[in-house]
Amino acid sequence: MAFDKNFLWGGATAANQYEGGYLDGGKGLSTSDVLTAGAHDKRRRVTWKNPTTGETGSTSFDFLKSQRVVPEGTVPAVLSDEYYPSHVATDFYHHYKEDIGLMAEMGFKAFRLSINWARIFPNGDDAEPNEEGLAFYDHVFDECQKHGIEPLVTLSHYETPLALAINYNGWASRRLIDFFVKYATTVMTRYKGKVKYWLTFNEINVMEMAPFMGGGVIASSPEIKAQAAHNQFVASAKVVKAAHEIDPAMKVGQMLAYGPLYAYTADPADQLLVMKQMQSSMFYADVQTGGHYPQYRIKKYEREDIKLDDTPEDYELLEKYSADFLSFSCYGSNVVTTHKDVGEAAGNFMTGVKNPYLKTNAWGWTIDPDVLRLALNTLYDRYHKPLWIVENGIGWDDQISADGKIHDSYRIEYLQQNLNSMRDAVTIDGVDLMGYTMWGCIDLVSAGTGEMKKRYGFVYVDRDDNGNGTLDRTPKDSFYWYKKVIASNGEDLTDSLNAESVAAK
Ligand code: BG6
């Protein structure tokens, strides 16, 4: 048997892309609620208002580029004449019973979701939590428990309460550490016995490229980003400590955006570039999972005259309360080179050049059959801690066929290759892997583009890029395929569909 009998098969989501109900039950605004829709060739925008003059507008949300996400003197705000995909998303808020039922039908052992921080503390720094928000997740976790599904809860998935972004410049302020620890201990105490697995910050290394998304940072600079990352590390360590005190059975993981990076040529200059670019991601895992700041980052801060507002206790906490396990997202690989004119490739946060050996989806994301084996080995060799693939999958503009079904053979093919590669890492290389949760298991809004048509799910949701649709759910072919994979505990990855799916088709 390739996988342990307790292997956690399932799917993953995030509140800002899936939940909707953006003002229901006393929820406050979060940073994602002021992001408009975009497209593959059109950036999402952050909408804003000048509180003094009343002037409104929007700014293109350019990863890596801008120092400020909104102009000086303005604050991010919801405008009445704009469309915001997070506000309804695919409405898990009102469909959670149906959706968890569909997950149970596929045989899910685990369901990754995030708690929307602003549903619990609407402004982030409120004295008391919002009971209606707490009750909502009680219902969700009870539903999971009913079906024997283990929740995996991300505490912050691109959902910093907007008031914290406006009043404190988000995670740039050390004040956020206490607010976050209060929020985390509130939900961990409330859901003790219902939730065992937690993740602190989704793709914590996104701070490097998109600090507003990762940490509600409106005005950034290299020093501010370094501080914001440090504050999140300290907060994570404090949450690990608190979780173990609340319930020794709880496990708190790190969540890293990871994609193997290949050099385009054998030129040593390309290998050095790979090394440097990997360091900018691995730094986040070296601290949060490894427990200490690596020398290459200490030296970089010295060179760039970056000074942190830190204390000696911070470093003791980081070492003593590093993450219990390392989880990561991995969709494909990327290629970089120092050589010019070899064609650009696409991705949300990673950029590079086109890999001549690999195909891509319509958004330019590579389909790499060996990616998970490479990722798992690299991360396991470096940290020797249990791993969990919490995001993997492929975005596709699924079409409904004349028979009313969605025949997503491309998704099945992608998953076959990826799960094969994951299985090799476990059976051939002996990597300790806790689980696999496919990203966007029920269609949801794309984080990078804000589109609905970039779909990942096993279940199709009737909703388009302008907010039209019934929100009805329809299982795709991959739904039945994944059900078979889980039933065989990953032994049967063939594309023959089982009798039930044939009958349903
Ligand atoms: C990860 C994020 O970066 O990639 C998710 O954690 C996101 O929130 C996923 O949805 C896929 O990216 P996209 O842009 O296709 O939604």
Side-chain angles (χ1 to χ4, degrees):
M1 167 120 352
F3 296 99
D4 186 87
K5 64 177 184 353
N6 298 319
F7 189 78
L8 292 159
W9 293 100
T13 63
N16 78 88
Q17 292 160 256
Y18 181 42
E19 194 177 88
Y22 90 113
L23 290 179
D24 288 359
K27 179 185 160 292
L29 290 176
S30 87
T31 46
S32 55
D33 292 328
V34 293
L35 283 179
T36 68
H40 181 33
D41 53 0
K42 198 168 119 211
R43 282 286 179 201
R44 302 183 76 174
R45 288 171 293 116
V46 186
T47 55
W48 47 260
K49 186 175 180 155
N50 183 319
T52 320
T53 63
E55 187 198 355
T56 59
S58 64
T59 309
S60 172
F61 188 53
D62 281 331
F63 301 137
L64 297 164
K65 292 197 183 120
S66 41
Q67 301 281 298
R68 285 192 63 90
V69 289
V70 293
E72 199 83 50
T74 71
V75 292
V78 171
L79 306 180
S80 55
D81 53 352
E82 289 280 4
Y83 170 65
Y84 300 93
S86 74
H87 291 191
V88 174
T90 43
D91 203 25
F92 176 68
Y93 194 76
H94 297 104
H95 289 77
Y96 69 90
K97 281 195 183 176
E98 180 185 354
D99 286 2
I100 295 169
L102 285 163
M103 293 173 200
E105 204 183 320
M106 277 185 273
F108 275 26
K109 315 279 183 231
F111 167 36
R112 175 177 176 225
L113 72 162
S114 65
I115 293 181
N116 204 325
W117 185 353
R119 201 176 278 296
I120 308 301
F121 288 98
N123 299 295
D125 58 357
D126 314 73
E128 297 299 329
N130 169 32
E131 176 52 36
E132 240 185 297
L134 286 168
F136 168 67
Y137 294 106
D138 260 325
H139 298 319
V140 169
F141 299 140
D142 289 345
E143 204 60 25
C144 289
Q145 219 161 35
K146 194 171 104 187
H147 291 289
I149 296 175
E150 197 77 62
L152 166 63
V153 175
T154 318
L155 289 162
S156 180
H157 191 131
Y158 305 159
E159 296 140 352
T160 309
L162 191 62
L164 294 182
I166 293 171
N167 299 328
Y168 301 89
N169 199 20
W171 278 93
S173 164
R174 276 193 77 108
R175 299 285 303 278
L176 274 269
I177 299 174
D178 287 345
F179 301 145
F180 186 75
V181 173
K182 179 171 171 181
Y183 153 59
T185 51
T186 301
V187 294
M188 286 173 160
T189 306
R190 173 80 170 219
Y191 307 126
K192 179 179 170 178
K194 294 184 182 180
V195 179
K196 183 174 165 196
Y197 298 109
W198 301 86
L199 303 176
T200 46
F201 299 98
N202 181 62
E203 299 188 329
I204 189 167
N205 47 326
V206 83
M207 185 63 76
E208 199 88 10
M209 305 69 107
F212 181 67
M213 213 157 191
V217 178
I218 292 177
S220 82
S221 68
E223 187 163 76
I224 289 174
K225 282 196 289 187
Q227 186 65 47
H230 182 78
N231 295 340
Q232 291 196 339
F233 293 144
V234 175
S236 286
K238 288 190 167 192
V239 168
V240 170
K241 179 174 188 289
H244 294 171
E245 284 163 7
I246 292 166
D247 180 355
M250 280 184 188
K251 303 263 178 239
V252 183
Q254 155 159 29
M255 174 9 176
L256 183 78
Y258 186 83
L261 208 54
Y262 305 148
Y264 186 72
T265 73
D267 182 345
D270 278 7
Q271 321 314 314
L272 264 181
L273 183 63
V274 167
M275 186 196 83
K276 284 186 202 151
Q277 292 214 358
M278 283 321 283
Q279 283 179 341
S280 69
S281 279
M282 299 313 292
F283 154 63
Y284 290 82
D286 287 346
V287 181
Q288 203 184 340
T289 297
H292 64 269
Y293 271 67
Q295 281 307 320
Y296 60 81
R297 185 54 75 132
I298 293 169
K299 287 283 178 200
K300 177 177 157 68
Y301 286 172
E302 275 171 20
R303 273 194 310 278
E304 296 176 8
D305 199 26
I306 287 175
K307 303 222 164 37
L308 295 178
D309 175 10
D310 55 2
T311 68
E313 294 76 49
D314 290 354
Y315 297 95
E316 282 165 29
L317 280 166
L318 294 179
E319 197 173 343
K320 205 156 165 209
Y321 300 104
S322 60
D324 295 319
F325 63 96
L326 173 59
S327 77
F328 64 100
S329 58
C330 184
Y331 291 86
S333 53
N334 292 281
V335 182
V336 291
T337 183
T338 55
H339 297 256
K340 305 282 171 227
D341 305 325
V342 274
E344 254 190 52
N348 272 357
F349 309 119
M350 314 276 184
T351 45
V353 297
K354 234 175 152 20
N355 187 328
Y357 300 97
L358 299 179
K359 290 192 202 134
T360 68
N361 71 356
W363 286 263
W365 291 31
T366 53
I367 301 168
D368 181 337
D370 296 309
V371 77
L372 291 184
R373 186 169 178 195
L374 287 165
L376 286 163
N377 273 281
T378 305
L379 296 174
Y380 193 58
D381 285 351
R382 191 156 173 143
Y383 303 108
H384 301 286
K385 283 199 177 173
L387 302 175
W388 193 336
I389 298 166
V390 295
E391 285 186 32
N392 169 254
I394 187 155
W396 212 275
D397 185 7
D398 296 323
Q399 300 299 319
I400 302 178
S401 301
D403 60 3
K405 309 276 179 195
I406 299 96
H407 301 299
D408 55 344
S409 52
Y410 38 85
R411 182 166 292 108
I412 293 174
E413 194 187 327
Y414 169 95
L415 291 172
Q416 274 176 323
Q417 294 179 348
N418 276 257
L419 295 188
N420 236 317
S421 162
M422 169 175 104
R423 194 166 62 182
D424 285 351
V426 172
T427 55
I428 301 175
D429 309 317
V431 167
D432 180 2
L433 183 63
M434 298 166 74
Y436 172 89
T437 53
M438 207 273 308
W439 175 252
C441 49
I442 295 191
D443 284 349
L444 39 69
V445 172
S446 154
T449 67
E451 288 169 298
M452 254 323 296
K453 77 169 183 203
K454 192 179 183 191
R455 297 170 181 275
Y456 285 85
F458 296 121
V459 175
Y460 185 92
V461 178
D462 181 19
R463 179 123 178 128
D464 70 14
D465 284 335
N466 302 311
N468 304 309
T470 59
L471 291 166
D472 285 351
R473 274 74 170 140
T474 309
K476 305 175 193 175
D477 283 359
S478 57
F479 177 100
Y480 303 99
W481 178 82
Y482 196 49
K483 178 175 179 173
K484 182 194 69 167
V485 170
I486 298 178
S488 71
N489 197 20
E491 291 290 323
D492 184 0
L493 300 178
T494 60
D495 54 10
S496 68
L497 295 172
N498 59 20
E500 188 189 344
S501 74
V502 174
K505 272 146 70 80

